[in-house]
Amino acid sequence: MGTRLVLTSAATVVLMLGGVSAAALAPGTGAVVDEAAREKDCRATNNSLPSSDKHIYLYAVSKCEDRHGAKDDSAADRDYGDGKGQVKDFDNKAGSLINHSDATVEFYTRPGYSDKGDRFCVRPGHYVTKLYMYGDGKDEKGSWSNSISSHRKVDPKNCKRFFGWRIN
């Protein structure tokens, strides 16, 4: 396979080897930047997880960057702030998430799966890369980011709305 140059912006040229980005020069510095690390997102994070791992993953920031803040394979957690269950001290802290489980999971803005707040479902093998993009009703703070307080496995026919992108 040949080598080709692809102009990605006026200041950055990316060297493509067999269709995979190898490196780029940081604009104005001449320093080499690892494009694969810079472009990491929920899809890349999910693809790095073992297929036998069946957790949901919660991240404090968008794009599933950094290390996850909480994970759960129990199918439910009533209250992210009560110190019980697998999700501890993560109430109202999620900025993105991955449903790496085999079940549809419903997330709630209130503890105890309360219908007084708002909720959404994420299908198995889907992720939500930026929770702040979704509004969550008049009684909450206007964004799903930093609003999730509980989750549980549900039958998809009981979901009122779905968020997320498919991971394939």
Side-chain angles (χ1 to χ4, degrees):
M1 238 179 226
T3 301
R4 61 188 171 118
L5 289 176
V6 178
L7 185 60
T8 58
S9 72
T12 305
V13 175
V14 178
L15 177 63
M16 300 292 286
L17 299 172
V20 177
S21 175
L25 296 179
T29 67
V32 176
V33 176
D34 180 354
E35 287 294 310
R38 191 174 72 163
E39 295 297 323
K40 188 172 183 181
D41 61 7
C42 294
R43 180 184 308 263
T45 300
N46 178 77
N47 290 338
S48 71
L49 298 170
S51 61
S52 60
D53 182 317
K54 302 299 179 193
H55 290 81
I56 60 148
Y57 288 86
L58 302 168
Y59 297 83
V61 295
S62 65
K63 297 184 180 180
C64 305
E65 293 178 329
D66 300 325
R67 183 164 161 57
H68 62 271
K71 69 178 185 174
D72 188 341
D73 67 353
S74 70
D77 194 318
R78 296 186 59 78
D79 187 345
Y80 291 178
D82 66 1
K84 300 175 183 173
Q86 292 181 21
V87 180
K88 294 181 180 9
D89 300 321
F90 213 70
D91 189 31
N92 297 320
K93 292 183 180 178
S96 57
L97 62 90
I98 296 172
N99 182 0
H100 201 258
S101 76
D102 290 331
T104 296
V105 178
E106 191 162 42
F107 294 88
Y108 302 82
T109 58
R110 305 271 176 103
Y113 325 121
S114 174
D115 61 358
K116 292 184 179 171
D118 207 353
R119 61 186 189 254
F120 67 91
C121 291
V122 177
R123 290 180 174 91
H126 286 222
Y127 63 89
V128 181
T129 192
K130 297 176 185 175
L131 284 167
Y132 67 80
M133 292 176 63
Y134 301 98
D136 63 0
K138 296 177 184 176
D139 294 336
E140 307 300 337
K141 296 186 185 217
S143 167
W144 273 98
S145 189
N146 302 318
S147 293
I148 298 175
S149 295
S150 59
H151 76 271
R152 67 178 164 183
K153 175 182 167 180
V154 295
D155 186 323
K157 69 181 178 192
N158 295 328
C159 293
K160 72 178 194 174
R161 76 170 68 106
F162 289 89
F163 291 161
W165 298 95
R166 188 174 177 157
I167 292 174
N168 292 350

